[in-house]
Amino acid sequence: MSVNETLVVNPGDNVTMQCTLTGGDPPPKAVWSHSPNPMPPNSISKGGNLTIRQIRAEDSGFYNCTAINNVGNPAKKTVNLLVRSMRNLTYQITPDVIKESETIQLGQDLKLSCHVDAVPQDKVQYTWYKNQKVIKTSDRIVITKNDLELPPVTSSLEIIDLRFSDYGTYLCDASLPNLPLTLNSSEINISAETVPPSISVPRGQLVITVREGSTAELQCEVRGKPLPPVLWTRMDKEATFPNGEKLIETPDGKLRLENVTREMSGGYKCQTARYNGFNIRSREAAVQLNVQFAPVVEPKFQDLRLPMKRSVTLRCNMLKGSPVKVATAVWRFERSLLSVPPIEQQEFSEYKINSTRRETSGTYECTISNDVGSDSCVFQVTGRAYNPEFYYDTPNPIESFKQFKNYSYLIQWTQKEPGAVDPVLHYKLELKPPNMKGMNSFVVISRDSRKGFLYELRLTDLKIPQHYEVKITPHTVSGPGDSASRSIRYKEPVNYQSDGTCRFEDDKLCGFVQDKYDTFDWIRQSKVNQSLRRTANTGPVMDRSGKPEGFYMFIEASRPRRFGDKARLISPLYNITSRLPSLKTTYCVSFYYHMYGRHIGNLTVLLRLKNIVSQDIPLWSKKGDQGNKWQLENLQVNPTAPFQIVFECVIGKGVEGDMAIDDVTIRKGECLKRQIPPTKAVAAPSSAARHPLSGFRLWLVSFLLFVLLR
């Protein structure tokens, strides 16, 4: 193709388009594409040739031949392929517009219009007939191909000063050159009997009521000659028909809707179409469709926990339904009928329990019905206490006696919603190994009914390495309540020093774990096991104690690490053991950090609260080079939920960005107000560390000299 082209073909033809490549180094390849649709399934592309066999009207569009050799911009030529087609031939009758008439009258003007949707549209040819004879133009008969008042390429036949001799049967046909197809309009009878349309709804059909899932038939009667089609739309402009369309055409004025749903309720408008009839203001009518459906009630299920000797009213509400009023309401207690006074037409039903007792505790069900169906509310009314809620302790177990092959465990729990029912009298605790017979039972007397009060029970003589299942059940005057269960799993004790400090000397890391969702992991390292190719001028040489065999936690900033990579080390879970939620529990987090190097990134300490959703709260952060020494930091926290401490390192912009932490202590109580001074700097053997008091002595000497000189 030397230029962009337009190609017009007939449906059913075999079409070949050729694209000749005239240059390019390396030799280019030709690629064909179609817009706006994909390539037709009946197309074959080979080199620069594209062949479409048995071409269809829907294959019309722009076909692009693109030459590509990955040098410079592609070369592109386009063929606009038009497949000849015609469809939807319609006509209109327009009475005298100047006199604003809507009826055909002798002595007035009349216009007949004819339009067909075609490809190519501008090539359509129209021919008008009267009583099967071709109409010739005259002073009173004017034929135009493009009527400016109608869609493009619409032919109009205008009759000026209508006479009796103009009455007759008119016909319009449309054709395309080279297309062996002609479309004919319906016969258009012009006579004294030709009258404009009218539309109405038959008596008794203004409101149609059907049940959901059935078939509804809406009807509008249209009169006139000729009879136009009837167009149906929803009165709600946003609503559509089940097929997604906003308009449906019916030739007889009847709209049939299958399997109706409640969403199809509402008003429907019928109106006369302006094509195949009079081109005048549409005549309209409306039909109301009511779709009846079963009730929808709330609550579907409600768990009511009440103290004994309380009154309560159960209420079942009808949210929606058609009809919208309750026809009947039946109450049952444990499937037995209850006597309830008949109700007047309303949207709910109620049943009152005058005094809750063990005999009145159980399941109540209310079944509400209307004329279509029913739905039920279920109420579970008891004085049962809610389940206990466990607190999880750290570390686990609290004691281990390997010589006796047993260990101890501290169980802690609070009572969920203790004020909802009568006070808990005692808790029954059952302890058993899973998949084994036998069970130990304990009774813990309730001491406080306030919300948040923490109960504790020390379980001893648990066998190593046996796991156990623990079940706790609260008991009130109403009997046993809901139980809560948890598993106790034996773990090797974490290696804390006697002072509670984790020095990372054990590969179990005192219960610290790597975050599964960070970029990389911390490394447990000592001078003995560190890499011989470690980066110079960054990171510690030894742990905080200065012993070559001592371990610390370390992050390496060299490859494959990149700027912004994160590593997180997470402590074990610590529980809040305050017996009253109003009393805050204070913890002190103490640690040493080492941040030395030109490319040091960020070291951040986070408080992770374990509520319904975990929440990370920044506590402390340092950025950049802090010197070649271990430095101490004490952080005091008052957590409001079980918590963990997270150490997060973010890699800086180079390899000299190694960081480390050591000697981490997390203990209950306030931090010491006077911090312990940092240990001596980790320096080369030839360098001397500065004495902690040297600065003070220098200041004191300077002050004395100043006083003497005055």
Side-chain angles (χ1 to χ4, degrees):
M1 295 181 297
S2 58
V3 295
N4 294 333
E5 299 178 359
T6 298
L7 181 62
V8 182
V9 299
N10 287 334
D13 287 351
N14 295 330
V15 178
T16 297
M17 292 170 279
Q18 186 175 37
C19 185
T20 303
L21 308 179
T22 59
D25 184 19
K29 294 182 179 181
V31 179
W32 284 92
S33 61
H34 182 210
S35 61
N37 301 317
M39 294 290 286
N42 49 345
S43 63
I44 300 173
S45 177
K46 186 176 182 181
N49 292 342
L50 173 64
T51 300
I52 306 175
R53 299 187 180 278
Q54 298 292 316
I55 198 162
R56 307 163 300 173
E58 55 265 33
D59 296 333
S60 293
F62 291 93
Y63 288 82
N64 307 306
C65 176
T66 306
I68 302 172
N69 68 351
N70 296 322
V71 179
N73 295 323
K76 181 178 177 182
K77 295 294 181 182
T78 300
V79 177
N80 183 13
L81 180 61
L82 302 177
V83 182
R84 293 185 181 94
S85 64
M86 293 191 301
R87 59 188 180 90
N88 298 336
L89 191 147
T90 58
Y91 70 87
Q92 292 181 344
I93 305 172
T94 306
D96 196 328
V97 177
I98 296 177
K99 297 182 178 180
E100 298 181 354
S101 175
E102 291 194 350
T103 60
I104 296 175
Q105 299 178 21
L106 294 175
Q108 293 185 358
D109 296 346
L110 177 69
K111 181 166 67 174
L112 306 179
S113 304
C114 183
H115 178 81
V116 66
D117 296 329
V119 176
Q121 188 73 51
D122 59 341
K123 301 298 182 182
V124 176
Q125 296 177 355
Y126 295 99
T127 304
W128 284 93
Y129 298 87
K130 177 186 177 185
N131 298 332
Q132 301 181 355
K133 292 182 180 181
V134 177
I135 298 176
K136 296 181 180 180
T137 60
S138 66
D139 293 341
R140 292 193 313 105
I141 306 296
V142 180
I143 298 177
T144 59
K145 182 178 180 180
N146 279 291
D147 191 327
L148 299 179
E149 299 176 359
L150 296 170
V153 194
T154 297
S155 178
S156 292
L157 170 65
E158 293 190 62
I159 304 175
I160 300 171
D161 188 15
L162 183 67
R163 300 175 184 176
F164 182 81
S165 59
D166 295 323
Y167 286 170
T169 301
Y170 290 81
L171 187 72
C172 165
D173 71 21
S175 62
L176 281 173
N178 302 317
L179 181 65
L181 173 65
T182 299
L183 291 185
N184 299 318
S185 69
S186 302
E187 292 183 343
I188 310 170
N189 293 306
I190 302 298
S191 68
E193 297 177 357
T194 304
V195 294
S198 63
I199 197 167
S200 62
V201 179
R203 180 177 296 180
Q205 299 293 312
L206 283 172
V207 178
I208 303 297
T209 301
V210 296
R211 291 196 175 189
E212 193 169 34
S214 62
T215 300
E217 186 173 272
L218 313 185
Q219 183 174 352
C220 286
E221 289 184 347
V222 62
R223 298 178 181 85
K225 190 174 182 181
L227 285 177
V230 175
L231 304 179
W232 287 89
T233 55
R234 301 284 299 267
M235 300 289 281
D236 181 357
K237 294 182 180 180
E238 301 299 324
T240 62
F241 290 96
N243 61 2
E245 299 292 336
K246 288 198 170 185
L247 183 145
I248 290 181
E249 176 185 328
T250 61
D252 58 357
K254 293 181 180 179
L255 176 64
R256 186 178 177 86
L257 301 173
E258 305 282 351
N259 193 24
V260 295
T261 62
R262 63 195 67 180
E263 289 78 17
M264 295 168 66
S265 295
Y268 289 76
K269 182 175 70 174
C270 58
Q271 64 184 45
T272 57
R274 295 191 177 188
Y275 57 87
N276 293 347
F278 276 74
N279 181 23
I280 59 177
R281 179 181 55 85
S282 296
R283 277 41 172 173
E284 299 178 355
V287 179
Q288 179 71 28
L289 175 62
N290 293 334
V291 180
Q292 294 184 332
F293 57 93
V296 177
V297 300
E298 72 165 7
K300 291 290 187 182
F301 178 83
Q302 186 175 8
D303 185 11
L304 291 172
R305 311 287 180 111
L306 301 167
M308 294 293 98
K309 299 181 181 180
R310 295 288 180 90
S311 65
V312 62
T313 299
L314 311 181
R315 178 165 175 163
C316 185
N317 296 298
M318 183 171 171
L319 289 181
K320 51 187 175 181
S322 179
V324 296
K325 300 296 184 181
V326 177
T328 60
V330 177
W331 285 86
R332 291 181 173 85
F333 172 62
E334 299 294 343
R335 299 186 178 182
S336 298
L337 282 173
L338 294 172
S339 176
V340 180
I343 61 172
E344 297 181 358
Q345 290 287 317
Q346 55 190 20
E347 294 83 14
F348 62 89
S349 180
E350 292 181 340
Y351 180 79
K352 185 175 182 180
I353 303 174
N354 293 318
S355 178
T356 53
R357 307 183 303 276
R358 288 193 179 187
E359 296 77 13
T360 61
S361 297
T363 302
Y364 292 79
E365 182 179 10
C366 174
T367 302
I368 282 182
S369 305
N370 62 6
D371 295 337
V372 182
S374 61
D375 197 9
S376 297
C377 299
V378 176
F379 304 88
Q380 188 71 32
V381 181
T382 66
R384 292 167 56 93
Y386 284 102
N387 56 281
E389 295 178 326
F390 286 103
Y391 272 58
Y392 293 85
D393 316 298
T394 301
N396 287 328
I398 56 172
E399 292 179 337
S400 178
F401 307 97
K402 291 189 176 181
Q403 64 272 29
F404 302 111
K405 294 185 177 181
N406 61 22
Y407 67 98
S408 299
Y409 203 102
L410 184 67
I411 291 289
Q412 295 179 303
W413 72 92
T414 61
Q415 178 59 44
K416 178 181 178 181
E417 301 298 337
V421 296
D422 293 302
V424 175
L425 302 177
H426 66 271
Y427 292 92
K428 182 179 180 182
L429 187 145
E430 298 169 309
L431 179 69
K432 67 180 288 293
N435 305 321
M436 295 181 64
K437 295 182 179 179
M439 178 186 301
N440 293 329
S441 296
F442 308 89
V443 174
V444 178
I445 303 300
S446 175
R447 302 190 303 275
D448 198 318
S449 60
R450 287 174 293 178
K451 186 173 183 177
F453 182 81
L454 189 67
Y455 292 87
E456 293 182 352
L457 180 64
R458 187 186 185 99
L459 303 176
T460 59
D461 296 329
L462 305 179
K463 302 301 180 183
I464 297 176
Q466 183 66 60
H467 302 326
Y468 293 85
E469 293 290 333
V470 178
K471 179 180 178 182
I472 299 181
T473 307
H475 286 252
T476 66
V477 292
S478 299
D482 294 345
S483 301
S485 299
R486 67 164 292 188
S487 297
I488 294 177
R489 297 188 174 275
Y490 175 75
K491 296 180 182 178
E492 288 290 334
V494 295
N495 187 20
Y496 283 97
Q497 300 296 324
S498 58
D499 58 357
T501 299
C502 179
R503 295 183 171 87
F504 303 108
E505 302 303 317
D506 192 312
D507 58 7
K508 293 185 173 57
L509 306 181
C510 314
F512 281 78
V513 294
Q514 309 280 358
D515 191 344
K516 296 179 181 179
Y517 305 104
D518 57 8
T519 315
F520 68 108
D521 288 343
W522 289 73
I523 303 169
R524 178 173 167 267
Q525 183 170 285
S526 70
K527 184 177 182 181
V528 175
N529 75 347
Q530 69 185 6
S531 172
L532 298 177
R533 299 174 62 184
R534 68 186 298 271
T535 306
N537 302 316
T538 186
V541 176
M542 289 180 284
D543 79 336
R544 210 276 302 180
S545 68
K547 298 177 181 178
E549 66 277 8
F551 283 89
Y552 55 92
M553 296 305 292
F554 172 77
I555 66 116
E556 173 63 64
S558 302
R559 292 181 182 178
R561 301 280 64 84
R562 295 183 298 177
F563 174 68
D565 283 358
K566 292 182 180 181
R568 295 190 191 94
L569 189 67
I570 306 174
S571 78
L573 184 67
Y574 288 82
N575 193 23
I576 297 176
T577 55
S578 171
R579 297 187 179 277
L580 293 175
S582 59
L583 299 178
K584 292 183 178 179
T585 303
T586 301
Y587 282 81
C588 180
V589 180
S590 175
F591 63 95
Y592 283 86
Y593 64 93
H594 193 284
M595 300 173 68
Y596 167 59
R598 289 188 305 160
H599 306 130
I600 292 294
N602 288 66
L603 174 62
T604 302
V605 180
L606 305 167
L607 175 67
R608 178 169 292 180
L609 296 178
K610 305 291 284 186
N611 288 317
I612 297 175
V613 177
S614 294
Q615 180 184 10
D616 287 349
I617 301 173
L619 295 177
W620 175 91
S621 185
K622 286 283 185 182
K623 181 179 181 180
D625 187 355
Q626 303 296 319
N628 187 14
K629 57 186 176 182
W630 287 98
Q631 302 191 64
L632 174 66
E633 185 64 40
N634 290 326
L635 304 174
Q636 190 164 297
V637 295
N638 298 291
T640 57
F643 71 96
Q644 293 169 291
I645 298 298
V646 181
F647 290 90
E648 178 186 85
C649 271
V650 180
I651 294 295
K653 294 185 178 181
V655 297
E656 296 182 19
D658 301 346
M659 290 177 270
I661 59 171
D662 199 5
D663 294 5
V664 179
T665 305
I666 304 174
R667 60 178 176 81
K668 191 183 297 186
E670 296 183 354
C671 296
L672 297 175
K673 292 184 179 180
R674 182 179 180 183
Q675 295 188 356
I676 301 173
T679 58
K680 64 182 179 180
V682 180
S686 60
S687 62
R690 183 181 178 186
H691 193 280
L693 297 179
S694 59
F696 174 77
R697 290 173 178 173
L698 181 60
W699 176 86
L700 182 60
V701 171
S702 300
F703 177 78
L704 291 174
L705 287 173
F706 174 78
V707 172
L708 292 173
L709 290 173
R710 286 177 64 91

